[in-house]
Amino acid sequence: MKPVITLLRSLLRQTVRNRQGLFWTLFFPVVLMVVFSLLGNTKSQVSLAVVTSRSTSAGVVRIMEKSPLFHVRTMGRRAALAAVRSGRMDAALLVPAAPRARTTTLALRYNPANSLSAQQAVGAVQALVAQADLMLSGRPPLFRVRATPLVHARASTYLDFLLPGVLALMTMQNSLFGIGSGLTRWKEKGILRRFRVTPLQPLQFLGAAIMNYLLVGLASSAIIIGFATGLLHASVDIPLGPVTLVLLLGMGCFLAFGFIVAGVSRSQEATIPIINLISFPMMFLSGVFFPISSLPKILTHIVDYFPLTYVSGALRGLMSGQLTWHDAAFRGDLLGMAVWLVLGGAVAARVWRWE
Amino acid sequence: MSGKALRLEGLTKRYGAVTAVDQLNLNIPPGIIFGLLGPNGAGKTTTLEMTEGLRRPDEGRVWLGEVDLIRHPAEAKRRFGVQLQTSAFFELLTVKETLELFQSLYSHPLRVGDLVGRMDLEEKRNARVDGLSGGQRQRLALAVALVNDPEVVFLDEPSAGLDPQARRNLWEVIVGLKAEGRTVVLTTHYMDEAEMLADRLAIMDHGRVLDEGAPRELIERHLPAAVIEVDRSTGIGTDTNLPALVRIEEREEVMALVTQHLEDTLTGLVAWASQHGRQLTGLKTRSATLEDVFLELTGRSLRE
């Protein structure tokens, strides 16, 4: 056991001292999440240009200004329409002069090019106008909605969706590149040969190498989770036991694939295209960046069995609070990963070469 | 050091149709420096690797004293110290950490302080491997080879790529290993190195030992006297007949007249020149070297 621990410590030192390697391990996920959290956090306020005339009923405008839903700016008609066209304001509300008829028509002009904020604007204005109507008319409402936030519910942002995907992606990339590329390098440079003329057993070496990648993988996952929840305010569940298990199983699968790659390729350069061939389809299809349900039906029948699909599915289920130990779907994901691990491990054991 | 002889018996390794090592027998007495001399591809490294336990021979046995090392490879790993032809270590570990890592693999390792002291690496103790020069890396590889206080030390082309000063330092270290009673087995294709260091030599080519013995012995056995060299412009042919001549060889710029009796051949040569009206430009005589023995045995130069 002593040699394994000393070797593991050496490998960890080697990893921590490889500043460039560490940087690229964490850089990509961090940039992904920062970019998407800036893009994806839809702003909660509708910017509304209100165009009034001198005799406008001030009530509607005052209610709009008080509502947290709106960022209201009063401006002239032409300026308002120009602002909507250019996208600077979400919508312009044209409030006519004091009502003559029983129903006053408020004209809402919006820019259909930006469909999301347009929908938001139209909906919010309609709701508020209805409310204002009631309040101003002084009639008791027939219905009232009492909104109570649920304890476990949350406004799920894209970042919350992305985080488990990014963790799954890291699991794949680090394991594949770590073993596939790192081990091939050691093999090429003769580091593995050097250990073969010592009493160190091959399995001891492999054990230490695998433990090294698992520990590094768990640590970098923890850093990314900490970054996403602490700095970017992702709100996700982290059930420690199940999440760790999924990460370990996932890494196990991809380490096995990494061994296969290192076994079949003769040089370090040759490993890169093979790794890309394995990882690219999964990176884009296995629910890392968008849900699998948005893929064409035929494709999902295949993608459902990809190892990364199991990892991202299980992590997303756990982190969104939709899956627990007891769910059949979660056990299905675990089983899927276990099958890949066994298959990959069996092939790896056959093709792995020390020289 | 207890001193057990190392015996290779009928070692054979085939790669497909190519026989890299062919029924090789060697008896290496304890406490000497034994050299394997031969051109690239002669089978030196394969022989070493089979002895060290890195490669399984197709046939043959390796004995250290009474222990069959093919059957008990763990014994070989415990007792041997090995410097491979390309020794790479983890680049981001320090010299000290590297030695500690290899220490952890053995039950009675030498101390780090002793190893860095002997290999003149004290100043580099806390330097990372990626910052070491070629010579320092070579010394680290030697230090690692000595970590388990080995009975037999294998050095595969130890001075390859070293500058002359570093080579001389390395030779001192190797002689020091012998002084401690260790057996040293080294491969080289440098004649001067083999002549300088080895107590016994085996000349290898095509996977076989062509001859074996002390360097002087080999020279005397195969080339009793000397070599006369003259420029090619002299016009002397390989079929020229001179007294006491063994043969005439065309080498890069000169014709080499290998002789059993220097004076007789020289007298004959002078007579031949005056008879044919030729100038003996670049005339030079020297005693035979291992290079000549090698050519005699293999018909080709070591660096071919």
Side-chain angles (χ1 to χ4, degrees):
Chain A
M1 211 50 202
K2 186 184 154 211
V4 179
I5 290 168
T6 314
L7 184 57
L8 174 60
R9 214 167 47 210
S10 304
L11 294 176
L12 286 172
R13 273 192 186 127
Q14 176 92 357
T15 309
V16 172
R17 287 175 191 172
N18 182 2
R19 290 288 141 82
Q20 215 184 349
L22 277 187
F23 176 77
W24 288 113
T25 302
L26 298 175
F27 176 78
F28 190 53
V30 163
V31 166
L32 263 182
M33 290 193 302
V34 168
V35 167
F36 281 110
S37 72
L38 290 178
L39 287 180
N41 275 351
T42 42
K43 53 183 184 301
S44 50
Q45 276 193 326
V46 174
S47 57
L48 193 64
V50 176
V51 182
T52 56
S53 58
R54 227 161 287 129
S55 52
T56 293
S57 142
V60 176
V61 179
R62 222 179 299 124
I63 289 170
M64 294 270 176
E65 277 171 343
K66 267 196 229 154
S67 163
L69 285 174
F70 297 102
H71 170 68
V72 175
R73 276 184 67 191
T74 310
M75 46 173 77
R77 184 190 157 87
R78 189 173 300 165
L81 292 179
V84 173
R85 253 184 223 108
S86 69
R88 269 180 291 128
M89 302 298 271
D90 291 321
L93 187 66
L94 312 179
V95 186
R100 262 170 251 130
R102 273 169 51 94
T103 306
T104 311
T105 304
L106 307 176
L108 184 69
R109 308 292 296 270
Y110 61 90
N111 183 351
N114 191 351
S115 65
L116 203 70
S117 55
Q119 276 173 28
Q120 207 181 350
V122 173
V125 170
Q126 273 173 348
L128 199 83
V129 167
Q131 197 193 341
D133 199 23
L134 274 174
M135 280 172 67
L136 294 172
S137 68
R139 269 180 298 162
L142 285 173
F143 299 101
R144 181 190 281 152
V145 176
R146 192 173 70 220
T148 315
L150 282 167
V151 182
H152 286 297
R154 59 183 150 239
S156 185
T157 62
Y158 182 65
L159 179 64
D160 301 344
F161 176 87
L162 186 66
L163 176 59
V166 163
L167 289 175
L169 185 64
M170 281 174 69
T171 296
M172 175 172 76
Q173 299 295 65
N174 293 350
S175 305
L176 268 179
F177 274 101
I179 291 278
S181 180
L183 215 54
T184 315
R185 205 169 92 90
W186 295 346
K187 202 157 85 165
E188 238 181 356
K189 292 187 74 186
I191 292 179
L192 296 191
R193 270 169 80 75
R194 187 61 191 77
F195 282 105
R196 290 190 55 222
V197 290
T198 69
L200 185 73
Q201 300 293 316
L203 280 179
Q204 291 179 309
F205 186 91
L206 290 189
I210 289 169
M211 275 194 272
N212 164 57
Y213 287 114
L214 293 182
L215 286 176
V216 170
L218 286 182
S220 42
S221 298
I223 292 171
I224 291 302
I225 291 175
F227 180 81
T229 54
L231 287 174
L232 301 179
H233 307 295
S235 58
V236 288
D237 287 345
I238 314 285
L240 219 50
V243 166
T244 309
L245 179 68
V246 172
L247 288 175
L248 287 176
L249 262 178
M251 285 189 270
C253 289
F254 292 112
L255 286 175
F257 296 163
F259 273 111
I260 298 174
V261 173
V264 296
S265 57
R266 301 201 176 278
S267 69
Q268 203 197 347
E269 288 87 67
T271 60
I272 307 294
I274 306 178
I275 290 173
N276 286 340
L277 194 70
I278 298 174
S279 64
F280 262 66
M282 287 200 266
M283 185 196 279
F284 293 111
L285 298 178
S286 284
V288 171
F289 299 107
F290 51 86
I292 294 166
S293 55
S294 58
L295 293 173
K297 250 286 156 300
I298 311 163
L299 209 54
T300 62
H301 292 311
I302 307 163
V303 172
D304 275 345
Y305 298 100
F306 282 3
L308 192 63
T309 307
Y310 293 117
V311 182
S312 67
L315 284 177
R316 188 161 292 134
L318 290 170
M319 296 176 84
S320 63
Q322 286 163 348
L323 285 182
T324 65
W325 283 117
H326 308 291
D327 288 293
F330 180 61
R331 292 196 201 145
D333 287 337
L334 291 185
L335 182 69
M337 284 182 257
V339 168
W340 275 112
L341 175 59
V342 170
L343 283 179
V347 176
R350 295 198 125 243
V351 300
W352 170 249
R353 295 277 173 277
W354 284 97
E355 310 254 333
Chain B
M1 290 292 133
S2 51
K4 295 189 189 72
L6 184 64
R7 275 184 298 132
L8 319 187
E9 278 179 13
L11 273 193
T12 301
K13 185 75 191 177
R14 294 182 204 94
Y15 297 108
V18 181
T19 306
V21 175
D22 193 4
Q23 290 293 326
L24 188 117
N25 296 305
L26 283 178
N27 195 348
I28 302 172
I32 69 160
I33 299 177
F34 190 91
L36 274 176
L37 186 67
N40 291 330
K44 294 170 296 182
T45 298
T46 307
T47 303
L48 228 53
E49 286 177 344
M50 286 190 287
T51 314
E52 295 157 356
L54 263 179
R55 259 174 231 284
R56 244 194 119 70
D58 294 319
E59 286 165 38
R61 290 262 161 265
V62 177
W63 300 89
L64 182 66
E66 300 305 307
V67 185
D68 179 344
L69 295 182
I70 304 292
R71 210 168 284 166
H72 305 285
E75 276 300 296
K77 289 172 180 179
R78 216 163 53 76
R79 292 159 185 253
F80 288 171
V82 176
Q83 184 195 358
L84 298 173
Q85 210 174 98
T86 49
S87 297
F89 300 103
F90 293 119
E91 298 269 305
L92 301 179
L93 295 188
T94 66
V95 166
K96 176 166 166 275
E97 288 162 350
T98 303
L99 289 170
E100 282 167 352
L101 170 59
F102 281 90
Q103 278 184 321
S104 75
L105 310 179
Y106 298 98
S107 46
H108 301 291
L110 295 179
R111 290 214 313 271
V112 169
D114 294 346
L115 291 166
V116 293
R118 171 191 302 217
M119 292 304 153
D120 202 13
L121 283 169
E122 265 139 348
E123 282 175 23
K124 292 287 165 186
R125 191 190 257 256
N126 293 313
R128 287 191 193 169
V129 171
D130 60 2
L132 298 181
S133 71
Q136 287 161 346
R137 275 176 200 240
Q138 201 79 1
R139 295 209 295 277
L140 174 62
L142 256 172
V144 170
L146 296 179
V147 123
N148 57 329
D149 195 10
E151 290 171 38
V152 186
V153 183
F154 293 91
L155 308 173
D156 198 354
E157 303 278 355
S159 62
L162 293 188
D163 60 63
Q165 183 57 42
R167 276 179 87 197
R168 268 176 212 282
N169 294 343
L170 176 77
W171 290 354
E172 268 173 43
V173 171
I174 294 173
V175 170
L177 295 178
K178 182 174 96 163
E180 291 167 351
R182 302 180 208 273
T183 310
V184 179
V185 181
L186 60 89
T187 70
T188 183
H189 56 252
Y190 294 121
M191 287 296 165
D192 54 345
E193 186 164 280
E195 216 168 334
M196 182 79 126
L197 288 176
D199 298 305
R200 285 182 76 76
L201 266 180
I203 294 182
M204 275 190 84
D205 201 15
H206 303 298
R208 290 168 177 275
V209 172
L210 302 174
D211 201 0
E212 199 200 325
R216 274 288 110 199
E217 224 175 279
L218 288 174
I219 291 169
E220 273 158 32
R221 189 180 311 156
H222 294 281
L223 290 164
V227 179
I228 303 166
E229 289 176 352
V230 287
D231 284 356
R232 275 168 176 271
S233 61
T234 314
I236 197 161
T238 49
D239 51 356
T240 310
N241 200 7
L242 294 173
L245 193 66
V246 178
R247 66 180 183 287
I248 298 179
E249 288 165 2
E250 296 184 37
R251 299 203 184 158
E252 276 140 38
E253 281 115 35
V254 298
M255 302 299 286
L257 290 69
V258 182
T259 168
Q260 270 168 330
H261 197 278
L262 183 61
E263 285 79 2
D264 290 358
T265 311
L266 204 53
T267 314
L269 181 64
V270 172
W272 174 87
S274 63
Q275 194 182 325
H276 292 81
R278 301 278 166 81
Q279 289 279 313
L280 290 176
T281 43
L283 177 74
K284 180 159 73 170
T285 66
R286 58 178 174 81
S287 47
T289 64
L290 271 176
E291 183 92 42
D292 304 305
V293 175
F294 194 82
L295 271 161
E296 160 89 12
L297 286 172
T298 66
R300 56 183 174 141
S301 156
L302 266 178
R303 282 173 203 86
E304 260 173 28

